[in-house]
Coordinates of all heavy atoms in Angstrom, one line a residue:
H30 N -1.6 17.2 59.1 CA -1.7 16.3 60.3 C -2.2 14.9 59.9 O -1.7 13.9 60.5 CB -2.6 16.9 61.4 CG -2.8 16.1 62.5 ND1 -1.8 15.8 63.4 CD2 -3.9 15.4 63.0 CE1 -2.3 15.0 64.4 NE2 -3.6 14.7 64.1
R31 N -3.1 14.8 59.0 CA -3.7 13.5 58.6 C -2.7 12.7 57.8 O -2.9 11.5 57.6 CB -5.0 13.7 57.9 CG -6.0 14.4 58.7 CD -7.3 14.6 58.0 NE -8.0 13.3 58.1 CZ -9.1 13.1 57.5 NH1 -9.7 14.0 56.8 NH2 -9.7 11.9 57.6
L32 N -1.7 13.3 57.2 CA -0.7 12.6 56.4 C 0.5 12.1 57.1 O 1.5 11.8 56.6 CB -0.2 13.5 55.2 CG -1.3 13.9 54.2 CD1 -0.7 14.8 53.2 CD2 -1.9 12.7 53.6
H33 N 0.4 12.0 58.5 CA 1.5 11.5 59.3 C 1.3 10.1 59.7 O 1.8 9.7 60.8 CB 1.7 12.4 60.5 CG 2.2 13.8 60.1 ND1 3.5 14.0 59.6 CD2 1.6 15.0 60.1 CE1 3.6 15.3 59.3 NE2 2.5 15.9 59.6
T34 N 0.5 9.3 59.0 CA 0.3 7.9 59.3 C 1.5 7.1 58.8 O 2.2 7.6 57.9 CB -1.0 7.4 58.7 OG1 -0.9 7.5 57.3 CG2 -2.2 8.2 59.2
P35 N 1.7 5.9 59.3 CA 2.8 5.1 58.8 C 2.7 4.8 57.3 O 3.7 4.7 56.6 CB 2.7 3.8 59.6 CG 2.0 4.3 60.9 CD 1.1 5.3 60.5
M36 N 1.4 4.6 56.8 CA 1.3 4.2 55.4 C 1.7 5.4 54.5 O 2.4 5.2 53.5 CB -0.2 3.9 55.1 CG -0.4 3.5 53.6 SD 0.7 2.2 53.0 CE 0.0 0.8 53.7
D37 N 1.4 6.6 54.9 CA 1.9 7.8 54.1 C 3.4 7.9 54.2 O 4.0 8.3 53.2 CB 1.2 9.1 54.7 CG -0.3 9.0 54.4 OD1 -0.7 8.5 53.4 OD2 -1.0 9.5 55.3
F38 N 4.0 7.6 55.3 CA 5.4 7.7 55.5 C 6.1 6.6 54.5 O 7.0 6.9 53.8 CB 5.8 7.4 56.9 CG 7.3 7.2 57.1 CD1 8.1 8.3 57.1 CD2 7.8 6.0 57.4 CE1 9.5 8.2 57.3 CE2 9.2 5.9 57.6 CZ 10.0 7.0 57.6
F39 N 5.5 5.4 54.5 CA 6.1 4.4 53.6 C 5.8 4.7 52.1 O 6.6 4.4 51.2 CB 5.5 3.1 53.9 CG 5.9 2.5 55.2 CD1 5.0 2.0 56.1 CD2 7.3 2.6 55.6 CE1 5.5 1.5 57.4 CE2 7.7 2.1 56.8 CZ 6.8 1.5 57.7
L40 N 4.7 5.4 51.8 CA 4.4 5.8 50.4 C 5.4 6.8 50.0 O 5.8 6.8 48.8 CB 3.0 6.3 50.3 CG 1.9 5.2 50.2 CD1 0.5 5.9 50.2 CD2 2.1 4.3 49.0
L41 N 5.8 7.8 50.9 CA 6.8 8.8 50.5 C 8.1 8.1 50.2 O 8.8 8.4 49.2 CB 6.9 9.8 51.7 CG 8.1 10.8 51.5 CD1 7.8 11.7 50.4 CD2 8.3 11.5 52.8
N42 N 8.5 7.1 51.1 CA 9.8 6.4 50.8 C 9.7 5.6 49.5 O 10.7 5.5 48.8 CB 10.1 5.5 52.0 CG 10.6 6.3 53.2 OD1 11.4 7.2 53.1 ND2 10.0 6.0 54.4
L43 N 8.6 5.0 49.2 CA 8.4 4.3 48.0 C 8.5 5.2 46.8 O 9.2 4.8 45.8 CB 7.1 3.5 48.0 CG 6.8 2.6 46.8 CD1 7.8 1.4 46.9 CD2 5.4 2.1 46.9
A44 N 8.0 6.4 46.9 CA 8.1 7.3 45.8 C 9.5 7.8 45.6 O 10.0 7.9 44.4 CB 7.2 8.5 46.0
L45 N 10.2 8.0 46.7 CA 11.7 8.4 46.5 C 12.5 7.2 45.9 O 13.4 7.5 45.1 CB 12.2 8.8 47.9 CG 11.6 10.1 48.5 CD1 12.2 10.3 49.9 CD2 11.9 11.2 47.6
L46 N 12.2 6.0 46.3 CA 12.9 4.9 45.7 C 12.6 4.7 44.2 O 13.4 4.4 43.5 CB 12.6 3.6 46.5 CG 13.2 3.4 47.8 CD1 12.7 2.2 48.5 CD2 14.7 3.3 47.7
D47 N 11.3 5.0 43.9 CA 11.0 5.0 42.4 C 11.8 6.0 41.7 O 12.2 5.8 40.5 CB 9.5 5.2 42.3 CG 8.7 4.0 42.6 OD1 9.2 2.9 42.5 OD2 7.5 4.1 42.9
L48 N 11.9 7.2 42.2 CA 12.7 8.2 41.6 C 14.2 7.8 41.5 O 14.8 8.1 40.4 CB 12.6 9.6 42.4 CG 11.3 10.3 42.2 CD1 11.3 11.5 43.2 CD2 11.2 10.8 40.8
G49 N 14.7 7.2 42.5 CA 16.1 6.7 42.4 C 16.2 5.6 41.4 O 17.2 5.6 40.7
C50 N 15.2 4.8 41.3 CA 15.3 3.7 40.3 C 15.3 4.2 38.9 O 16.1 3.7 38.1 CB 14.1 2.7 40.6 SG 14.2 1.2 39.6
I51 N 14.4 5.1 38.6 CA 14.4 5.6 37.2 C 15.5 6.5 36.9 O 16.0 6.6 35.7 CB 13.0 6.3 37.0 CG1 12.8 6.5 35.5 CG2 12.9 7.7 37.7 CD1 12.6 5.3 34.7
S52 N 16.1 7.2 37.9 CA 17.2 8.1 37.6 C 18.5 7.4 37.4 O 19.5 8.0 37.1 CB 17.3 9.1 38.7 OG 17.7 8.5 39.9
T53 N 18.6 6.1 37.6 CA 19.8 5.3 37.3 C 20.0 5.1 35.8 O 21.1 5.1 35.3 CB 19.8 4.0 38.0 OG1 18.7 3.2 37.6 CG2 19.8 4.2 39.5
T54 N 18.9 4.9 35.1 CA 19.1 4.6 33.7 C 18.7 5.7 32.7 O 19.2 5.8 31.6 CB 18.3 3.3 33.3 OG1 16.9 3.5 33.7 CG2 18.8 2.1 34.1
L55 N 17.7 6.5 33.1 CA 17.2 7.5 32.2 C 18.2 8.6 31.8 O 18.2 8.9 30.6 CB 16.0 8.2 32.9 CG 15.2 9.1 32.0 CD1 14.5 8.2 30.9 CD2 14.1 9.8 32.8
P56 N 19.1 9.1 32.6 CA 20.0 10.1 32.1 C 20.9 9.6 30.9 O 21.1 10.3 29.9 CB 20.8 10.5 33.3 CG 20.0 10.2 34.5 CD 19.2 9.0 34.1
K57 N 21.4 8.4 31.1 CA 22.3 7.9 30.0 C 21.4 7.6 28.8 O 21.9 7.8 27.6 CB 23.0 6.6 30.5 CG 24.0 6.0 29.5 CD 25.1 7.0 29.2 CE 26.1 6.4 28.2 NZ 27.0 7.3 27.7
A58 N 20.2 7.1 29.0 CA 19.4 6.8 27.8 C 19.0 8.1 27.1 O 19.0 8.1 25.8 CB 18.1 6.1 28.3
M59 N 18.8 9.2 27.8 CA 18.4 10.4 27.2 C 19.7 11.0 26.4 O 19.5 11.6 25.4 CB 17.9 11.4 28.2 CG 16.5 11.1 28.7 SD 15.9 12.2 30.0 CE 15.9 13.7 29.1
A60 N 20.8 10.9 27.1 CA 22.0 11.4 26.4 C 22.3 10.6 25.1 O 22.7 11.1 24.1 CB 23.2 11.2 27.4
N61 N 22.1 9.3 25.2 CA 22.3 8.5 24.0 C 21.3 8.8 22.9 O 21.7 8.8 21.7 CB 22.2 7.0 24.3 CG 23.5 6.5 25.1 OD1 24.5 7.1 25.1 ND2 23.4 5.3 25.6
A62 N 20.1 9.1 23.3 CA 19.1 9.5 22.3 C 19.4 10.8 21.7 O 19.2 11.1 20.5 CB 17.7 9.4 22.9
L63 N 19.9 11.7 22.5 CA 20.2 13.1 22.0 C 21.4 13.1 21.1 O 21.4 13.8 20.1 CB 20.5 14.0 23.2 CG 20.8 15.4 22.9 CD1 19.5 16.1 22.3 CD2 21.2 16.2 24.2
W64 N 22.4 12.3 21.3 CA 23.6 12.3 20.5 C 23.6 11.1 19.5 O 24.7 10.9 18.9 CB 24.8 12.2 21.4 CG 25.0 13.5 22.2 CD1 24.9 14.8 21.7 CD2 25.4 13.6 23.5 NE1 25.1 15.7 22.7 CE2 25.4 15.0 23.8 CE3 25.6 12.7 24.6 CZ2 25.7 15.5 25.1 CZ3 25.9 13.2 25.8 CH2 26.0 14.6 26.1
H65 N 22.5 10.4 19.4 CA 22.4 9.3 18.4 C 23.6 8.3 18.5 O 24.2 7.9 17.6 CB 22.3 9.8 17.0 CG 21.2 10.8 16.8 ND1 19.9 10.4 16.8 CD2 21.2 12.1 16.5 CE1 19.2 11.5 16.6 NE2 19.9 12.5 16.4
T66 N 23.8 7.8 19.7 CA 24.8 6.9 20.0 C 24.2 5.8 20.9 O 23.2 5.9 21.5 CB 26.1 7.5 20.6 OG1 27.0 6.5 20.8 CG2 25.7 8.1 22.0
R67 N 24.9 4.7 21.0 CA 24.5 3.6 21.9 C 25.7 3.1 22.8 O 25.7 2.0 23.2 CB 24.0 2.4 21.0 CG 22.8 2.8 20.2 CD 22.3 1.6 19.4 NE 21.7 0.7 20.3 CZ 21.1 -0.4 19.9 NH1 21.1 -0.8 18.6 NH2 20.6 -1.2 20.7
D68 N 26.6 4.0 23.0 CA 27.8 3.6 23.7 C 27.6 3.8 25.2 O 26.9 4.8 25.7 CB 29.0 4.5 23.3 CG 29.4 4.3 21.9 OD1 29.1 3.2 21.4 OD2 30.0 5.2 21.3
I69 N 28.2 2.9 26.0 CA 28.3 3.0 27.5 C 29.5 2.4 27.9 O 29.9 1.3 27.4 CB 27.0 2.4 28.2 CG1 27.0 2.8 29.6 CG2 26.9 1.0 27.9 CD1 25.7 2.4 30.3
S70 N 30.2 3.0 28.8 CA 31.5 2.4 29.3 C 31.2 1.2 30.2 O 30.0 1.0 30.7 CB 32.3 3.4 30.1 OG 31.6 3.8 31.2
Y71 N 32.2 0.4 30.4 CA 32.0 -0.8 31.3 C 31.7 -0.3 32.8 O 30.8 -0.9 33.4 CB 33.2 -1.6 31.3 CG 33.1 -2.8 32.2 CD1 32.4 -3.9 31.8 CD2 33.8 -2.9 33.4 CE1 32.2 -5.0 32.7 CE2 33.7 -4.0 34.3 CZ 32.9 -5.0 33.9 OH 32.8 -6.1 34.7
A72 N 32.4 0.7 33.2 CA 32.2 1.2 34.6 C 30.8 1.8 34.7 O 30.1 1.7 35.7 CB 33.2 2.3 34.9
G73 N 30.3 2.5 33.7 CA 29.0 3.1 33.7 C 27.9 2.1 33.7 O 26.9 2.2 34.4
C74 N 28.1 1.0 32.9 CA 27.2 -0.1 32.9 C 27.1 -0.8 34.3 O 26.1 -1.1 34.8 CB 27.5 -1.1 31.8 SG 26.4 -2.5 31.7
A75 N 28.3 -1.0 34.8 CA 28.4 -1.7 36.1 C 27.7 -0.8 37.2 O 27.0 -1.3 38.1 CB 29.8 -2.0 36.5
A76 N 27.9 0.5 37.2 CA 27.3 1.4 38.1 C 25.8 1.4 38.0 O 25.0 1.4 38.9 CB 27.8 2.8 38.0
Q77 N 25.3 1.5 36.7 CA 23.9 1.4 36.5 C 23.2 0.1 37.0 O 22.2 0.1 37.6 CB 23.6 1.6 35.0 CG 23.5 3.0 34.5 CD 23.0 3.1 33.1 OE1 22.8 2.1 32.4 NE2 23.0 4.3 32.5
C78 N 23.9 -1.0 36.7 CA 23.4 -2.3 37.2 C 23.3 -2.3 38.7 O 22.4 -2.8 39.3 CB 24.2 -3.4 36.6 SG 23.9 -3.7 34.8
F79 N 24.4 -1.9 39.3 CA 24.5 -1.9 40.8 C 23.4 -1.1 41.4 O 22.6 -1.5 42.3 CB 25.8 -1.4 41.3 CG 25.9 -1.3 42.8 CD1 26.0 -2.4 43.6 CD2 25.8 0.0 43.3 CE1 26.0 -2.2 45.0 CE2 25.8 0.2 44.7 CZ 25.9 -0.9 45.5
F80 N 23.2 0.2 41.0 CA 22.2 1.1 41.5 C 20.8 0.6 41.2 O 19.9 0.7 42.0 CB 22.5 2.5 41.1 CG 23.6 3.2 41.8 CD1 24.7 3.5 41.2 CD2 23.5 3.4 43.2 CE1 25.8 4.1 41.8 CE2 24.6 4.0 43.9 CZ 25.7 4.4 43.2
F81 N 20.6 0.1 40.0 CA 19.3 -0.4 39.7 C 18.9 -1.6 40.6 O 17.8 -1.6 41.1 CB 19.2 -0.8 38.2 CG 17.9 -1.1 37.7 CD1 16.9 -0.1 37.5 CD2 17.5 -2.4 37.5 CE1 15.7 -0.4 37.1 CE2 16.2 -2.7 37.0 CZ 15.3 -1.7 36.8
V82 N 19.8 -2.5 40.7 CA 19.5 -3.7 41.6 C 19.3 -3.2 43.0 O 18.4 -3.7 43.8 CB 20.6 -4.7 41.5 CG1 20.4 -5.8 42.5 CG2 20.5 -5.4 40.1
F83 N 20.1 -2.3 43.5 CA 20.0 -1.7 44.8 C 18.6 -1.1 45.1 O 18.0 -1.4 46.1 CB 21.1 -0.7 45.1 CG 21.0 0.0 46.4 CD1 21.3 -0.6 47.6 CD2 20.5 1.3 46.4 CE1 21.2 0.1 48.8 CE2 20.3 2.0 47.6 CZ 20.7 1.4 48.8
F84 N 18.2 -0.2 44.2 CA 16.9 0.4 44.3 C 15.7 -0.5 44.2 O 14.8 -0.4 44.9 CB 16.8 1.6 43.3 CG 17.5 2.8 43.7 CD1 18.5 3.3 42.9 CD2 17.2 3.5 44.9 CE1 19.2 4.5 43.3 CE2 17.9 4.6 45.3 CZ 18.9 5.1 44.5
I85 N 15.8 -1.5 43.3 CA 14.7 -2.4 43.1 C 14.6 -3.3 44.4 O 13.5 -3.6 44.9 CB 14.9 -3.3 41.9 CG1 14.7 -2.5 40.6 CG2 14.0 -4.5 41.9 CD1 13.3 -2.0 40.5
S86 N 15.8 -3.8 44.9 CA 15.7 -4.6 46.1 C 15.2 -3.8 47.3 O 14.4 -4.3 48.2 CB 17.0 -5.2 46.4 OG 18.0 -4.2 46.7
A87 N 15.6 -2.5 47.4 CA 15.1 -1.7 48.5 C 13.6 -1.5 48.3 O 12.8 -1.4 49.3 CB 15.8 -0.4 48.5
E88 N 13.1 -1.3 47.1 CA 11.7 -1.2 46.8 C 10.9 -2.4 47.2 O 9.8 -2.3 47.9 CB 11.5 -0.8 45.4 CG 10.1 -0.4 45.0 CD 10.0 0.2 43.6 OE1 11.0 0.7 43.1 OE2 8.9 0.0 43.1
Y89 N 11.4 -3.6 46.9 CA 10.7 -4.8 47.3 C 10.7 -5.0 48.8 O 9.7 -5.4 49.4 CB 11.3 -6.0 46.7 CG 11.0 -6.2 45.2 CD1 11.9 -6.6 44.3 CD2 9.7 -5.9 44.7 CE1 11.6 -6.8 43.0 CE2 9.4 -6.0 43.4 CZ 10.3 -6.5 42.5 OH 10.0 -6.6 41.2
S90 N 11.8 -4.6 49.5 CA 11.8 -4.7 50.9 C 10.8 -3.7 51.5 O 10.1 -4.0 52.5 CB 13.2 -4.3 51.5 OG 14.1 -5.2 51.0
L91 N 10.7 -2.5 51.0 CA 9.7 -1.6 51.5 C 8.3 -2.0 51.2 O 7.4 -1.8 52.1 CB 10.0 -0.2 50.9 CG 9.2 1.0 51.5 CD1 9.7 1.1 53.0 CD2 9.4 2.2 50.7
L92 N 8.0 -2.6 50.1 CA 6.7 -3.2 49.8 C 6.4 -4.3 50.8 O 5.2 -4.4 51.2 CB 6.6 -3.7 48.4 CG 6.5 -2.6 47.3 CD1 6.7 -3.2 45.9 CD2 5.2 -1.8 47.4
T93 N 7.3 -5.1 51.2 CA 7.1 -6.1 52.2 C 6.8 -5.5 53.6 O 5.9 -5.9 54.3 CB 8.4 -7.0 52.4 OG1 8.7 -7.6 51.1 CG2 8.1 -8.1 53.4
I94 N 7.5 -4.4 53.9 CA 7.2 -3.7 55.2 C 5.8 -3.1 55.1 O 5.1 -3.1 56.1 CB 8.3 -2.6 55.4 CG1 9.6 -3.3 55.8 CG2 7.9 -1.7 56.6 CD1 10.8 -2.4 55.8
M95 N 5.4 -2.5 54.0 CA 4.1 -2.0 53.8 C 3.0 -3.0 54.0 O 1.9 -2.8 54.6 CB 4.0 -1.3 52.5 CG 4.8 0.0 52.4 SD 4.8 0.7 50.7 CE 3.1 1.3 50.6
S96 N 3.3 -4.2 53.5 CA 2.3 -5.3 53.7 C 2.2 -5.7 55.1 O 1.1 -6.0 55.6 CB 2.6 -6.5 52.8 OG 3.8 -7.1 53.2
Y97 N 3.3 -5.7 55.8 CA 3.3 -5.9 57.3 C 2.5 -4.9 58.0 O 1.7 -5.2 58.9 CB 4.7 -6.0 57.8 CG 4.7 -6.2 59.3 CD1 4.4 -7.4 59.9 CD2 5.1 -5.1 60.1 CE1 4.4 -7.5 61.3 CE2 5.2 -5.2 61.5 CZ 4.8 -6.4 62.1 OH 4.8 -6.6 63.5
D98 N 2.6 -3.6 57.6 CA 1.9 -2.5 58.2 C 0.4 -2.7 58.0 O -0.4 -2.6 59.0 CB 2.3 -1.2 57.5 CG 1.4 0.0 58.0 OD1 1.4 0.2 59.2 OD2 0.8 0.6 57.1
R99 N 0.0 -3.1 56.8 CA -1.5 -3.4 56.6 C -1.9 -4.6 57.4 O -3.0 -4.7 57.9 CB -1.7 -3.6 55.1 CG -1.6 -2.3 54.3 CD -2.6 -1.3 54.7 NE -2.1 -0.4 55.8 CZ -2.8 0.4 56.5 NH1 -4.1 0.5 56.3 NH2 -2.3 1.1 57.4
Y100 N -1.1 -5.6 57.5 CA -1.4 -6.8 58.3 C -1.7 -6.4 59.8 O -2.6 -6.8 60.4 CB -0.3 -7.9 58.2 CG -0.3 -8.9 59.3 CD1 -1.3 -9.9 59.3 CD2 0.5 -8.9 60.4 CE1 -1.3 -10.9 60.3 CE2 0.5 -9.8 61.4 CZ -0.5 -10.8 61.3 OH -0.5 -11.7 62.3
V101 N -0.8 -5.6 60.3 CA -0.9 -5.2 61.7 C -2.2 -4.3 61.9 O -2.9 -4.5 62.8 CB 0.3 -4.4 62.2 CG1 0.1 -3.8 63.6 CG2 1.5 -5.4 62.3
A102 N -2.4 -3.5 60.9 CA -3.6 -2.6 61.0 C -4.9 -3.4 60.9 O -5.9 -3.0 61.6 CB -3.6 -1.6 59.9
I103 N -4.9 -4.5 60.2 CA -6.2 -5.2 60.0 C -6.3 -6.3 61.1 O -7.4 -6.5 61.7 CB -6.2 -5.9 58.6 CG1 -6.4 -4.8 57.6 CG2 -7.4 -6.9 58.5 CD1 -6.2 -5.2 56.1
C104 N -5.3 -7.0 61.3 CA -5.4 -8.2 62.2 C -5.1 -7.9 63.7 O -5.6 -8.6 64.6 CB -4.4 -9.3 61.8 SG -4.8 -10.0 60.2
K105 N -4.4 -6.8 64.0 CA -4.1 -6.4 65.4 C -4.4 -4.9 65.6 O -3.4 -4.2 65.9 CB -2.7 -6.8 65.7 CG -2.3 -8.2 65.6 CD -0.9 -8.5 65.9 CE -0.6 -10.0 65.7 NZ 0.7 -10.3 66.1
P106 N -5.6 -4.5 65.4 CA -5.9 -3.0 65.5 C -5.6 -2.4 66.8 O -5.3 -1.3 66.9 CB -7.3 -2.9 65.0 CG -7.9 -4.3 65.3 CD -6.8 -5.3 65.1
L107 N -5.8 -3.2 67.9 CA -5.6 -2.6 69.2 C -4.1 -2.4 69.6 O -3.7 -1.6 70.4 CB -6.2 -3.5 70.3 CG -7.7 -3.7 70.2 CD1 -8.2 -4.7 71.2 CD2 -8.4 -2.3 70.3
H108 N -3.2 -3.2 68.9 CA -1.8 -3.1 69.1 C -1.1 -2.2 68.1 O 0.1 -2.1 68.1 CB -1.1 -4.4 69.1 CG -1.6 -5.3 70.2 ND1 -1.2 -5.1 71.5 CD2 -2.5 -6.4 70.2 CE1 -1.8 -6.0 72.3 NE2 -2.6 -6.8 71.5
Y109 N -1.9 -1.7 67.1 CA -1.3 -0.9 66.0 C -0.5 0.3 66.5 O 0.6 0.5 65.9 CB -2.4 -0.5 65.0 CG -1.8 0.2 63.8 CD1 -1.2 -0.6 62.8 CD2 -1.9 1.5 63.6 CE1 -0.7 0.0 61.7 CE2 -1.4 2.1 62.5 CZ -0.8 1.4 61.5 OH -0.3 1.9 60.4
G110 N -1.0 1.0 67.4 CA -0.2 2.2 67.9 C 1.1 1.9 68.5 O 2.0 2.6 68.4
T111 N 1.2 0.7 69.2 CA 2.4 0.4 69.8 C 3.4 -0.3 68.9 O 4.6 -0.2 69.0 CB 2.2 -0.5 71.0 OG1 1.5 -1.7 70.6 CG2 1.4 0.2 72.1
L112 N 2.9 -1.1 67.9 CA 3.7 -1.8 67.0 C 4.3 -0.9 65.9 O 5.4 -1.1 65.4 CB 3.0 -3.0 66.4 CG 2.7 -4.2 67.3 CD1 1.9 -5.2 66.6 CD2 4.0 -4.8 67.9
M113 N 3.5 0.0 65.5 CA 3.9 0.9 64.3 C 4.0 2.3 64.8 O 3.4 3.2 64.1 CB 2.8 0.7 63.2 CG 2.7 -0.6 62.7 SD 4.2 -1.3 62.0 CE 4.4 -0.3 60.5
D114 N 4.8 2.6 65.8 CA 5.1 4.0 66.2 C 6.1 4.6 65.2 O 6.6 3.9 64.3 CB 5.5 4.1 67.6 CG 6.8 3.3 67.9 OD1 7.1 2.5 67.1 OD2 7.4 3.6 68.9
S115 N 6.4 5.9 65.4 CA 7.2 6.5 64.4 C 8.7 6.0 64.4 O 9.3 5.9 63.4 CB 7.3 8.0 64.7 OG 7.8 8.3 66.0
R116 N 9.1 5.6 65.6 CA 10.5 5.0 65.7 C 10.6 3.7 64.9 O 11.5 3.4 64.2 CB 10.9 4.9 67.1 CG 12.2 4.2 67.3 CD 12.7 4.1 68.7 NE 13.9 4.8 68.8 CZ 14.4 5.4 69.9 NH1 13.7 5.3 71.0 NH2 15.5 6.0 69.8
A117 N 9.6 2.8 65.1 CA 9.5 1.5 64.4 C 9.4 1.7 62.9 O 10.1 1.0 62.1 CB 8.4 0.7 64.9
C118 N 8.6 2.7 62.5 CA 8.5 3.0 61.0 C 9.8 3.4 60.4 O 10.3 3.0 59.4 CB 7.4 4.0 60.8 SG 5.8 3.4 61.1
A119 N 10.5 4.4 61.1 CA 11.8 4.9 60.6 C 12.8 3.8 60.6 O 13.7 3.7 59.7 CB 12.2 6.0 61.5
T120 N 12.8 2.9 61.6 CA 13.8 1.8 61.7 C 13.6 0.8 60.5 O 14.5 0.4 59.9 CB 13.7 1.1 63.0 OG1 13.9 2.0 64.1 CG2 14.7 -0.1 63.1
M121 N 12.3 0.5 60.3 CA 12.0 -0.4 59.2 C 12.3 0.2 57.8 O 12.8 -0.5 56.9 CB 10.5 -0.9 59.3 CG 10.2 -1.8 60.4 SD 8.6 -2.5 60.3 CE 7.6 -1.2 61.0
A122 N 12.0 1.5 57.7 CA 12.3 2.1 56.4 C 13.9 2.2 56.2 O 14.3 2.0 55.1 CB 11.7 3.5 56.3
A123 N 14.6 2.4 57.2 CA 16.1 2.5 57.1 C 16.6 1.1 56.8 O 17.6 0.9 56.1 CB 16.7 3.0 58.4
A124 N 16.0 0.1 57.4 CA 16.5 -1.3 57.1 C 16.2 -1.7 55.7 O 17.0 -2.5 55.1 CB 15.8 -2.3 58.1
A125 N 15.1 -1.2 55.1 CA 14.8 -1.5 53.7 C 15.9 -0.9 52.8 O 16.3 -1.5 51.8 CB 13.5 -1.0 53.3

């Protein structure tokens, strides 16, 4: 029950984005290390670059939303319940 705060929700999303970010490059790097090669196709490189930039930009957006959450919690504590309800948190996380 205590882990249903907006900050915990955003931390869960941040952890998932971190997993997505590392999983874009690590499998190919492990395969290259296992088979002692340094080859990657152009399409594979483009896909890795696209997904890495996608996850990094989503992570930065989520960090910005988390800083807004802390701003509202500190500067507007009486309005925190109305500004950061579960629907607003889900909408902001989806927008990130």
Side-chain angles (χ1 to χ4, degrees):
H30 175 69
R31 299 182 80 185
L32 295 178
H33 293 291
T34 63
M36 181 54 76
D37 295 324
F38 174 72
F39 291 135
L40 284 174
L41 172 68
N42 285 316
L43 186 66
L45 292 175
L46 284 174
D47 283 337
L48 284 174
C50 186
I51 195 66
S52 67
T53 58
T54 57
L55 190 64
K57 184 60 179 173
M59 289 177 61
N61 285 346
L63 183 64
W64 292 316
H65 303 291
T66 182
R67 298 179 73 180
D68 297 336
I69 187 168
S70 67
Y71 179 76
C74 181
Q77 276 187 359
C78 289
F79 172 77
F80 284 114
F81 188 74
V82 168
F83 173 77
F84 282 119
I85 289 293
S86 62
E88 190 169 331
Y89 284 143
S90 299
L91 192 63
L92 286 171
T93 303
I94 292 168
M95 289 172 73
S96 67
Y97 175 72
D98 173 60
R99 291 295 88 196
Y100 163 76
V101 171
I103 293 170
C104 296
K105 300 179 181 183
L107 298 177
H108 297 286
Y109 185 73
T111 57
L112 290 175
M113 298 302 291
D114 61 343
S115 61
R116 174 177 244 157
C118 291
T120 302
M121 286 189 281

